[in-house]
Coordinates of all heavy atoms in Angstrom, one line a residue:
M1 N 11.1 1.9 6.3 CA 11.1 0.6 7.1 C 12.2 -0.3 6.6 O 12.3 -0.7 5.5 CB 9.7 0.0 6.8 CG 9.5 -1.3 7.7 SD 7.8 -1.9 7.5 CE 7.9 -3.4 8.5
S2 N 13.2 -0.4 7.4 CA 14.4 -1.3 7.1 C 14.2 -2.6 7.7 O 14.2 -2.8 8.9 CB 15.7 -0.6 7.6 OG 16.8 -1.4 7.2
V3 N 14.2 -3.6 6.9 CA 14.0 -5.0 7.3 C 14.7 -5.9 6.4 O 15.2 -5.5 5.4 CB 12.4 -5.4 7.4 CG1 11.7 -4.6 8.5 CG2 11.8 -5.1 6.0
S4 N 14.7 -7.2 6.7 CA 15.1 -8.2 5.8 C 13.9 -9.2 5.6 O 13.5 -9.8 6.6 CB 16.3 -9.0 6.3 OG 16.7 -9.9 5.4
I5 N 13.5 -9.3 4.4 CA 12.3 -10.1 4.1 C 12.8 -11.3 3.3 O 13.3 -11.1 2.2 CB 11.2 -9.3 3.4 CG1 10.8 -8.1 4.2 CG2 10.0 -10.2 3.1 CD1 9.9 -7.2 3.4
N6 N 12.6 -12.5 3.8 CA 13.0 -13.7 3.0 C 11.9 -14.7 2.9 O 12.1 -15.9 2.7 CB 14.3 -14.3 3.5 CG 14.4 -14.4 5.0 OD1 13.3 -14.6 5.6 ND2 15.6 -14.3 5.6
H7 N 10.7 -14.2 3.2 CA 9.5 -15.1 3.1 C 8.4 -14.2 2.4 O 8.4 -13.0 2.5 CB 9.0 -15.5 4.4 CG 9.9 -16.5 5.1 ND1 10.9 -16.1 5.9 CD2 9.9 -17.9 5.1 CE1 11.6 -17.2 6.3 NE2 10.9 -18.3 5.9
C8 N 7.6 -14.9 1.7 CA 6.4 -14.2 1.1 C 5.6 -13.6 2.2 O 5.2 -14.3 3.1 CB 5.6 -15.2 0.3 SG 4.1 -14.5 -0.4
P9 N 5.4 -12.3 2.1 CA 4.6 -11.7 3.2 C 3.1 -12.1 3.2 O 2.4 -12.1 4.2 CB 4.7 -10.2 2.9 CG 5.0 -10.1 1.5 CD 5.8 -11.3 1.1
I10 N 2.7 -12.6 2.1 CA 1.3 -13.0 1.9 C 1.0 -14.4 2.5 O 0.1 -14.5 3.4 CB 0.8 -12.9 0.5 CG1 0.9 -11.5 -0.1 CG2 -0.6 -13.5 0.3 CD1 0.1 -10.5 0.7
C11 N 1.8 -15.4 2.1 CA 1.5 -16.7 2.5 C 2.6 -17.3 3.5 O 2.4 -18.3 4.2 CB 1.4 -17.7 1.4 SG 2.9 -18.0 0.5
G12 N 3.7 -16.6 3.6 CA 4.8 -17.0 4.5 C 5.7 -18.0 4.0 O 6.7 -18.5 4.7
F13 N 5.6 -18.4 2.7 CA 6.6 -19.4 2.1 C 7.9 -18.8 1.9 O 8.0 -17.6 1.6 CB 6.0 -20.0 0.8 CG 6.9 -21.1 0.2 CD1 7.0 -22.3 0.9 CD2 7.5 -20.9 -1.0 CE1 7.7 -23.3 0.4 CE2 8.3 -21.9 -1.5 CZ 8.4 -23.1 -0.8
K14 N 9.0 -19.6 2.0 CA 10.3 -19.1 1.9 C 10.5 -18.5 0.4 O 10.2 -19.2 -0.5 CB 11.3 -20.2 2.1 CG 12.7 -19.7 2.2 CD 13.7 -20.8 2.7 CE 15.1 -20.3 2.9 NZ 15.4 -18.9 2.4
A15 N 11.0 -17.3 0.4 CA 11.1 -16.7 -1.0 C 12.5 -17.1 -1.6 O 13.4 -17.4 -0.9 CB 11.1 -15.1 -0.8
D16 N 12.6 -17.0 -2.9 CA 13.8 -17.3 -3.6 C 14.9 -16.3 -3.3 O 16.0 -16.5 -3.2 CB 13.6 -17.3 -5.1 CG 12.8 -18.5 -5.5 OD1 12.7 -19.5 -4.8 OD2 12.1 -18.5 -6.6
E17 N 14.4 -15.0 -3.1 CA 15.3 -13.9 -2.9 C 15.1 -13.4 -1.4 O 14.1 -13.6 -0.8 CB 15.0 -12.8 -3.8 CG 14.8 -13.2 -5.2 CD 15.8 -12.6 -6.2 OE1 16.5 -11.7 -5.7 OE2 15.9 -13.0 -7.3
S18 N 16.1 -12.6 -1.0 CA 16.0 -11.9 0.2 C 15.9 -10.4 -0.1 O 16.6 -9.9 -0.9 CB 17.2 -12.2 1.1 OG 17.0 -11.6 2.4
Y19 N 14.9 -9.7 0.5 CA 14.7 -8.3 0.2 C 15.1 -7.5 1.4 O 14.8 -7.9 2.5 CB 13.2 -8.1 -0.2 CG 12.7 -9.0 -1.3 CD1 12.2 -10.3 -1.0 CD2 12.9 -8.7 -2.7 CE1 11.8 -11.1 -2.0 CE2 12.5 -9.5 -3.7 CZ 11.9 -10.7 -3.4 OH 11.5 -11.6 -4.3
T20 N 15.7 -6.4 1.1 CA 16.2 -5.5 2.2 C 15.1 -4.5 2.7 O 15.3 -3.9 3.7 CB 17.4 -4.7 1.8 OG1 17.1 -4.0 0.6 CG2 18.6 -5.7 1.5
S21 N 14.0 -4.4 2.0 CA 12.9 -3.5 2.4 C 11.6 -3.9 1.8 O 11.6 -4.7 0.8 CB 13.3 -2.1 2.0 OG 13.2 -1.9 0.6
V22 N 10.6 -3.5 2.3 CA 9.2 -3.7 1.8 C 9.2 -3.1 0.4 O 8.6 -3.8 -0.6 CB 8.2 -3.0 2.7 CG1 6.8 -3.0 2.0 CG2 8.1 -3.8 4.0
L23 N 9.8 -1.9 0.2 CA 9.8 -1.3 -1.1 C 10.5 -2.2 -2.2 O 10.0 -2.3 -3.3 CB 10.4 0.1 -1.1 CG 10.3 0.9 -2.3 CD1 8.9 1.2 -2.7 CD2 11.1 2.2 -2.2
E24 N 11.7 -2.7 -1.8 CA 12.4 -3.5 -2.7 C 11.6 -4.8 -3.1 O 11.5 -5.1 -4.3 CB 13.7 -4.0 -2.1 CG 14.6 -4.8 -3.1 CD 15.8 -5.4 -2.5 OE1 16.8 -4.7 -2.5 OE2 15.8 -6.5 -1.9
L25 N 10.9 -5.4 -2.2 CA 10.1 -6.5 -2.5 C 9.0 -6.1 -3.4 O 8.8 -6.8 -4.4 CB 9.5 -7.1 -1.2 CG 8.6 -8.3 -1.4 CD1 8.8 -9.4 -0.4 CD2 7.1 -7.9 -1.4
R26 N 8.3 -5.0 -3.1 CA 7.1 -4.7 -3.9 C 7.5 -4.1 -5.3 O 6.7 -4.1 -6.2 CB 6.3 -3.6 -3.2 CG 5.8 -4.2 -1.8 CD 4.6 -3.5 -1.3 NE 3.4 -4.1 -1.9 CZ 2.3 -3.4 -2.2 NH1 2.2 -2.1 -1.9 NH2 1.2 -4.0 -2.7
C27 N 8.8 -3.7 -5.5 CA 9.2 -3.2 -6.8 C 9.8 -4.4 -7.6 O 10.2 -4.2 -8.7 CB 10.3 -2.1 -6.6 SG 9.5 -0.6 -6.0
S28 N 9.9 -5.6 -7.0 CA 10.6 -6.7 -7.7 C 9.6 -7.4 -8.7 O 10.1 -7.9 -9.7 CB 11.1 -7.7 -6.7 OG 10.0 -8.4 -6.1
Y29 N 8.4 -7.3 -8.4 CA 7.3 -8.0 -9.2 C 7.6 -9.5 -9.3 O 7.2 -10.1 -10.3 CB 7.1 -7.3 -10.6 CG 6.6 -5.9 -10.4 CD1 7.5 -4.8 -10.5 CD2 5.3 -5.7 -10.1 CE1 7.0 -3.5 -10.3 CE2 4.8 -4.4 -9.9 CZ 5.7 -3.3 -10.0 OH 5.2 -2.0 -9.8
D30 N 8.4 -10.0 -8.4 CA 8.6 -11.4 -8.3 C 7.2 -12.1 -8.0 O 6.3 -11.5 -7.4 CB 9.6 -11.8 -7.3 CG 11.0 -11.4 -7.7 OD1 11.2 -11.2 -8.9 OD2 11.9 -11.3 -6.8
I31 N 7.2 -13.4 -8.3 CA 5.9 -14.1 -8.1 C 6.2 -15.3 -7.1 O 7.2 -16.0 -7.3 CB 5.4 -14.7 -9.4 CG1 4.9 -13.5 -10.3 CG2 4.2 -15.7 -9.1 CD1 4.4 -14.0 -11.6
C32 N 5.4 -15.4 -6.1 CA 5.6 -16.4 -5.1 C 5.3 -17.8 -5.6 O 4.3 -18.0 -6.3 CB 4.7 -16.1 -3.9 SG 4.7 -17.4 -2.6
D33 N 6.2 -18.8 -5.4 CA 6.0 -20.1 -5.9 C 4.8 -20.8 -5.2 O 4.2 -21.7 -5.8 CB 7.2 -21.0 -5.5 CG 8.4 -20.7 -6.5 OD1 8.2 -20.1 -7.5 OD2 9.5 -21.2 -6.2
C34 N 4.5 -20.3 -4.0 CA 3.4 -21.0 -3.3 C 2.1 -20.4 -3.6 O 1.3 -21.0 -4.3 CB 3.8 -20.9 -1.8 SG 2.5 -21.6 -0.7
C35 N 1.8 -19.2 -3.2 CA 0.5 -18.6 -3.4 C 0.3 -17.9 -4.8 O -0.8 -17.7 -5.2 CB 0.1 -17.6 -2.3 SG 1.1 -16.1 -2.3
G36 N 1.5 -17.6 -5.4 CA 1.4 -17.1 -6.8 C 1.1 -15.6 -6.8 O 0.8 -15.1 -7.9
C37 N 1.1 -14.9 -5.7 CA 0.9 -13.4 -5.8 C 2.1 -12.8 -6.4 O 3.3 -13.3 -6.3 CB 0.7 -12.8 -4.4 SG 2.1 -12.7 -3.4
E38 N 1.9 -11.7 -7.1 CA 3.0 -10.9 -7.7 C 3.2 -9.7 -6.9 O 2.3 -8.9 -6.7 CB 2.6 -10.5 -9.2 CG 3.7 -9.7 -9.8 CD 3.4 -9.4 -11.3 OE1 2.4 -9.9 -11.8 OE2 4.1 -8.6 -11.9
Y39 N 4.4 -9.6 -6.3 CA 4.6 -8.5 -5.3 C 4.5 -7.2 -6.0 O 4.9 -7.0 -7.1 CB 6.0 -8.6 -4.7 CG 6.3 -10.0 -4.1 CD1 7.5 -10.6 -4.2 CD2 5.3 -10.6 -3.4 CE1 7.7 -11.9 -3.7 CE2 5.5 -11.9 -2.8 CZ 6.7 -12.5 -2.9 OH 6.9 -13.7 -2.4
G40 N 3.8 -6.3 -5.4 CA 3.6 -4.9 -5.9 C 2.4 -4.9 -6.9 O 2.1 -3.8 -7.3
H41 N 1.8 -6.0 -7.2 CA 0.7 -6.0 -8.1 C -0.6 -6.6 -7.5 O -1.5 -5.8 -7.3 CB 1.1 -6.9 -9.4 CG 0.0 -7.0 -10.3 ND1 -0.6 -5.9 -11.0 CD2 -0.7 -8.1 -10.7 CE1 -1.6 -6.4 -11.7 NE2 -1.7 -7.7 -11.6
D42 N -0.5 -7.8 -7.0 CA -1.7 -8.4 -6.4 C -1.4 -9.0 -5.0 O -2.1 -9.9 -4.6 CB -2.5 -9.3 -7.3 CG -1.6 -10.5 -7.8 OD1 -0.5 -10.6 -7.3 OD2 -2.0 -11.2 -8.7
D43 N -0.3 -8.5 -4.4 CA 0.0 -9.0 -3.1 C -0.8 -8.3 -2.0 O -0.3 -7.4 -1.3 CB 1.5 -8.8 -2.8 CG 2.0 -7.3 -2.9 OD1 1.4 -6.6 -3.8 OD2 2.8 -6.9 -2.2
D44 N -2.0 -8.7 -1.9 CA -2.9 -8.1 -0.9 C -3.7 -9.2 -0.2 O -3.6 -10.3 -0.5 CB -3.8 -7.0 -1.5 CG -4.6 -7.5 -2.6 OD1 -5.1 -8.7 -2.5 OD2 -4.8 -6.8 -3.6
L45 N -4.4 -8.7 0.9 CA -5.0 -9.7 1.7 C -6.3 -10.3 1.1 O -6.7 -11.4 1.4 CB -5.3 -9.1 3.1 CG -4.1 -8.7 3.8 CD1 -4.5 -8.2 5.2 CD2 -3.0 -9.8 3.9
K46 N -6.8 -9.6 0.1 CA -7.9 -10.2 -0.7 C -7.4 -11.4 -1.5 O -8.1 -12.5 -1.6 CB -8.6 -9.2 -1.6 CG -9.8 -9.8 -2.4 CD -10.5 -8.9 -3.2 CE -11.7 -9.5 -3.9 NZ -11.4 -10.9 -4.5
F47 N -6.2 -11.2 -2.1 CA -5.6 -12.3 -2.9 C -5.4 -13.5 -2.0 O -5.7 -14.6 -2.4 CB -4.3 -11.8 -3.4 CG -3.6 -12.8 -4.3 CD1 -3.7 -12.9 -5.6 CD2 -2.8 -13.8 -3.6 CE1 -3.1 -13.9 -6.4 CE2 -2.2 -14.8 -4.4 CZ -2.3 -14.8 -5.8
Y48 N -4.9 -13.3 -0.8 CA -4.6 -14.4 0.2 C -5.9 -15.1 0.5 O -6.0 -16.3 0.5 CB -3.9 -13.8 1.4 CG -3.6 -14.9 2.4 CD1 -2.7 -15.8 2.2 CD2 -4.4 -15.0 3.6 CE1 -2.4 -16.8 3.1 CE2 -4.1 -15.9 4.5 CZ -3.1 -16.9 4.3 OH -2.9 -17.9 5.2
A49 N -7.0 -14.3 0.8 CA -8.3 -14.9 1.2 C -8.8 -15.7 0.1 O -9.3 -16.8 0.4 CB -9.2 -13.8 1.6
D50 N -8.7 -15.2 -1.1 CA -9.2 -16.0 -2.3 C -8.4 -17.3 -2.5 O -8.9 -18.3 -2.8 CB -9.2 -15.2 -3.5 CG -10.2 -14.1 -3.5 OD1 -11.1 -14.1 -2.7 OD2 -10.1 -13.1 -4.4
W51 N -7.1 -17.2 -2.2 CA -6.2 -18.3 -2.4 C -6.5 -19.4 -1.4 O -6.6 -20.6 -1.8 CB -4.7 -17.8 -2.3 CG -3.7 -18.9 -2.4 CD1 -3.3 -19.6 -3.6 CD2 -2.9 -19.5 -1.4 NE1 -2.4 -20.5 -3.3 CE2 -2.1 -20.4 -2.0 CE3 -2.8 -19.2 0.0 CZ2 -1.2 -21.2 -1.2 CZ3 -1.9 -20.0 0.7 CH2 -1.1 -20.9 0.1
V52 N -6.8 -19.0 -0.2 CA -7.1 -20.0 0.8 C -8.5 -20.6 0.5 O -8.7 -21.8 0.6 CB -7.1 -19.3 2.2 CG1 -7.7 -20.3 3.3 CG2 -5.7 -19.0 2.6
K53 N -9.4 -19.7 0.1 CA -10.8 -20.2 -0.2 C -10.8 -21.2 -1.3 O -11.5 -22.2 -1.3 CB -11.6 -19.0 -0.5 CG -13.1 -19.3 -0.8 CD -13.9 -18.0 -0.8 CE -13.4 -17.1 -1.9 NZ -14.1 -16.8 -3.0
D54 N -9.8 -21.0 -2.3 CA -9.8 -21.9 -3.4 C -8.9 -23.1 -3.2 O -8.6 -23.9 -4.1 CB -9.2 -21.2 -4.6 CG -10.2 -20.1 -5.1 OD1 -11.4 -20.2 -4.8 OD2 -9.8 -19.2 -5.9
G55 N -8.5 -23.3 -1.9 CA -7.8 -24.6 -1.5 C -6.3 -24.5 -1.6 O -5.6 -25.5 -1.7
C56 N -5.7 -23.3 -1.5 CA -4.2 -23.1 -1.5 C -3.5 -23.9 -2.6 O -2.6 -24.7 -2.4 CB -3.7 -23.6 -0.1 SG -4.4 -22.8 1.3
V57 N -3.9 -23.6 -3.8 CA -3.3 -24.2 -5.0 C -1.9 -23.6 -5.2 O -1.8 -22.4 -5.3 CB -4.2 -24.1 -6.2 CG1 -3.5 -24.7 -7.4 CG2 -5.5 -24.7 -6.0
W58 N -0.9 -24.4 -5.3 CA 0.5 -23.9 -5.5 C 0.7 -23.4 -6.9 O 0.2 -24.0 -7.9 CB 1.5 -25.0 -5.3 CG 1.8 -25.1 -3.8 CD1 0.9 -25.4 -2.8 CD2 3.1 -24.8 -3.2 NE1 1.6 -25.4 -1.6 CE2 2.9 -25.0 -1.8 CE3 4.3 -24.5 -3.6 CZ2 3.9 -24.8 -0.9 CZ3 5.3 -24.3 -2.7 CH2 5.1 -24.5 -1.4
F59 N 1.4 -22.2 -7.0 CA 1.7 -21.6 -8.3 C 2.7 -22.5 -9.0 O 2.6 -22.7 -10.2 CB 2.2 -20.2 -8.1 CG 2.5 -19.5 -9.3 CD1 1.4 -19.0 -10.1 CD2 3.8 -19.2 -9.8 CE1 1.7 -18.3 -11.3 CE2 4.0 -18.5 -10.9 CZ 3.0 -18.1 -11.7
E60 N 3.7 -22.9 -8.3 CA 4.7 -23.8 -8.9 C 4.6 -25.1 -8.1 O 5.3 -25.3 -7.0 CB 6.1 -23.3 -8.7 CG 6.5 -22.2 -9.7 CD 6.7 -22.7 -11.1 OE1 6.7 -23.9 -11.3 OE2 6.8 -21.9 -12.0
A61 N 3.9 -26.1 -8.6 CA 3.6 -27.3 -7.9 C 4.9 -28.0 -7.5 O 5.0 -28.7 -6.4 CB 2.7 -28.2 -8.7
K62 N 5.9 -27.9 -8.4 CA 7.2 -28.7 -8.1 C 8.0 -28.1 -6.9 O 8.9 -28.7 -6.4 CB 8.0 -28.8 -9.3 CG 8.5 -27.5 -9.9 CD 9.4 -27.8 -11.1 CE 9.9 -26.6 -11.9 NZ 9.5 -25.3 -11.7
A63 N 7.6 -26.9 -6.5 CA 8.3 -26.2 -5.4 C 7.7 -26.7 -4.0 O 8.2 -26.3 -3.0 CB 8.2 -24.7 -5.5
Q64 N 6.6 -27.4 -4.1 CA 5.9 -27.7 -2.9 C 6.6 -28.8 -2.1 O 6.8 -29.9 -2.6 CB 4.5 -28.2 -3.2 CG 3.7 -28.5 -1.9 CD 2.2 -28.8 -2.3 OE1 1.8 -28.8 -3.4 NE2 1.4 -29.2 -1.2
P65 N 7.1 -28.5 -0.9 CA 7.8 -29.6 -0.1 C 6.8 -30.7 0.3 O 5.6 -30.5 0.4 CB 8.2 -28.8 1.2 CG 8.0 -27.4 0.9 CD 7.0 -27.3 -0.1
Q66 N 7.4 -31.9 0.5 CA 6.5 -33.0 0.9 C 6.0 -32.7 2.3 O 6.7 -32.2 3.1 CB 7.4 -34.3 1.0 CG 7.6 -35.0 -0.4 CD 8.1 -36.4 -0.2 OE1 8.7 -36.7 0.8 NE2 7.7 -37.2 -1.2
G67 N 4.7 -33.1 2.5 CA 4.1 -32.9 3.8 C 3.8 -31.4 4.1 O 3.7 -31.1 5.3
W68 N 3.8 -30.6 3.1 CA 3.6 -29.2 3.3 C 2.2 -28.9 3.9 O 1.3 -29.5 3.6 CB 3.7 -28.4 2.0 CG 3.4 -27.0 2.1 CD1 4.2 -26.0 2.4 CD2 2.1 -26.3 1.9 NE1 3.6 -24.8 2.4 CE2 2.3 -25.0 2.1 CE3 0.8 -26.8 1.5 CZ2 1.2 -24.1 2.0 CZ3 -0.2 -25.9 1.4 CH2 0.0 -24.6 1.6
T69 N 2.2 -28.0 4.9 CA 1.0 -27.4 5.4 C 1.1 -25.9 5.6 O 2.2 -25.4 5.9 CB 0.5 -28.0 6.8 OG1 1.5 -27.6 7.8 CG2 0.5 -29.5 6.7
L70 N 0.0 -25.3 5.3 CA 0.0 -23.8 5.5 C 0.3 -23.4 6.9 O 1.0 -22.4 7.2 CB -1.3 -23.2 5.0 CG -1.5 -21.7 5.1 CD1 -0.5 -21.0 4.2 CD2 -2.9 -21.3 4.7
D71 N -0.1 -24.2 7.9 CA 0.1 -23.9 9.3 C 1.5 -23.7 9.7 O 1.8 -22.9 10.6 CB -0.5 -25.0 10.2 CG -2.0 -25.1 10.1 OD1 -2.6 -24.1 9.6 OD2 -2.6 -26.1 10.5
D72 N 2.4 -24.4 9.0 CA 3.9 -24.3 9.3 C 4.5 -23.0 8.9 O 5.5 -22.6 9.4 CB 4.6 -25.4 8.7 CG 4.3 -26.8 9.2 OD1 3.8 -26.8 10.4 OD2 4.6 -27.8 8.6
Q73 N 3.9 -22.2 8.0 CA 4.5 -21.0 7.5 C 3.8 -19.8 7.8 O 4.3 -18.7 7.5 CB 4.7 -21.2 6.0 CG 3.5 -21.2 5.2 CD 3.7 -21.5 3.7 OE1 4.6 -22.3 3.3 NE2 3.0 -20.8 2.8
V74 N 2.6 -19.8 8.4 CA 1.8 -18.6 8.6 C 2.5 -17.7 9.6 O 2.3 -16.5 9.6 CB 0.4 -18.9 9.1 CG1 -0.4 -19.5 8.1 CG2 0.4 -19.7 10.4
R75 N 3.5 -18.2 10.4 CA 4.2 -17.3 11.3 C 5.1 -16.4 10.6 O 5.6 -15.4 11.1 CB 5.0 -18.1 12.3 CG 6.1 -19.0 11.7 CD 6.8 -19.8 12.8 NE 7.9 -20.7 12.2 CZ 7.6 -21.8 11.6 NH1 6.4 -22.3 11.6 NH2 8.6 -22.6 11.1
N76 N 5.4 -16.7 9.3 CA 6.3 -15.8 8.5 C 5.5 -14.8 7.7 O 6.1 -14.0 7.0 CB 7.1 -16.7 7.5 CG 8.0 -17.7 8.2 OD1 8.6 -17.4 9.2 ND2 8.0 -18.9 7.7
Q77 N 4.2 -14.8 7.8 CA 3.4 -13.8 7.1 C 3.7 -12.4 7.8 O 4.0 -12.3 8.9 CB 1.9 -14.1 7.2 CG 1.5 -15.4 6.5 CD 0.1 -15.8 6.8 OE1 -0.5 -15.4 7.8 NE2 -0.5 -16.5 5.9
I78 N 3.5 -11.4 7.0 CA 3.6 -10.0 7.5 C 2.2 -9.4 7.5 O 1.6 -9.3 6.4 CB 4.6 -9.2 6.7 CG1 6.0 -9.8 6.8 CG2 4.6 -7.8 7.3 CD1 7.0 -9.1 5.9
R79 N 1.7 -9.0 8.7 CA 0.4 -8.4 8.8 C 0.5 -7.2 9.6 O 1.2 -7.2 10.7 CB -0.6 -9.4 9.4 CG -0.9 -10.6 8.6 CD -1.6 -10.3 7.3 NE -2.0 -11.5 6.6 CZ -1.2 -12.1 5.7 NH1 0.0 -11.6 5.4 NH2 -1.6 -13.2 5.1
P80 N -0.1 -6.1 9.3 CA -0.9 -5.9 8.1 C 0.0 -5.9 6.9 O 1.2 -5.5 7.0 CB -1.6 -4.6 8.3 CG -0.7 -3.8 9.2 CD 0.0 -4.8 10.1
W81 N -0.6 -6.1 5.7 CA 0.1 -6.1 4.5 C -0.8 -5.4 3.4 O -1.9 -5.8 3.3 CB 0.6 -7.4 4.0 CG 1.5 -7.3 2.8 CD1 1.1 -7.3 1.5 CD2 2.9 -7.0 2.8 NE1 2.2 -7.1 0.7 CE2 3.3 -6.9 1.5 CE3 3.8 -6.9 3.8 CZ2 4.6 -6.6 1.1 CZ3 5.1 -6.6 3.5 CH2 5.5 -6.5 2.1
P82 N -0.3 -4.5 2.6 CA 1.0 -3.8 2.8 C 1.1 -3.0 4.1 O 0.1 -2.5 4.5 CB 1.1 -2.9 1.6 CG -0.2 -2.9 0.9 CD -1.1 -3.9 1.5
P83 N 2.3 -2.9 4.6 CA 2.5 -2.2 5.9 C 2.1 -0.7 5.7 O 2.3 -0.2 4.6 CB 4.0 -2.3 6.2 CG 4.5 -3.4 5.3 CD 3.6 -3.4 4.1
K84 N 1.6 -0.1 6.7 CA 1.3 1.3 6.7 C 2.5 2.2 6.6 O 3.5 1.9 7.2 CB 0.4 1.7 7.9 CG -0.8 0.9 8.0 CD -1.9 1.4 7.0 CE -3.2 0.7 7.2 NZ -3.3 -0.6 6.6
Ligands
LIG1 ZN1 3.2 -16.5 -1.2

């Protein structure tokens, strides 16, 4: 699957890096500033559901833009995740 991914597939927040494939992202073990999932480790939909249930607490609070809402970034999510 050849793509360019520059948002967290789980929560849709803009990623620090741009990834050229799903595999590259999942092998990076980078951690999303927003939802805090670690790609390739706990980047799954259960993690996302728990994160939302717990009130969308930011992993890096200082990265949170003013006036942030989850609604603005859900269009950047990738579903299903991980892709088949
Ligand atoms: Zn995220």
Side-chain angles (χ1 to χ4, degrees):
M1 185 173 174
S2 183
V3 289
S4 180
I5 303 172
N6 45 29
H7 292 84
C8 172
I10 298 300
C11 72
F13 185 65
K14 190 169 185 348
D16 291 337
E17 312 241 352
S18 185
Y19 306 92
T20 56
S21 69
V22 167
L23 184 64
E24 183 184 272
L25 177 139
R26 299 202 85 213
C27 290
S28 72
Y29 296 99
D30 287 342
I31 295 178
C32 175
D33 283 346
C34 180
C35 68
C37 73
E38 182 176 350
Y39 307 139
H41 176 63
D42 56 9
D43 56 325
D44 56 40
L45 297 185
K46 179 179 186 314
F47 181 95
Y48 179 73
D50 289 344
W51 179 71
V52 170
K53 185 168 55 114
D54 293 342
C56 301
V57 178
W58 276 63
F59 183 73
E60 284 288 350
K62 62 179 177 352
Q64 182 174 358
Q66 278 197 333
W68 174 86
T69 67
L70 182 62
D71 291 346
D72 291 339
Q73 67 186 38
V74 292
R75 67 182 176 277
N76 299 319
Q77 293 172 336
I78 300 175
R79 297 292 185 272
W81 189 267
K84 300 282 184 281

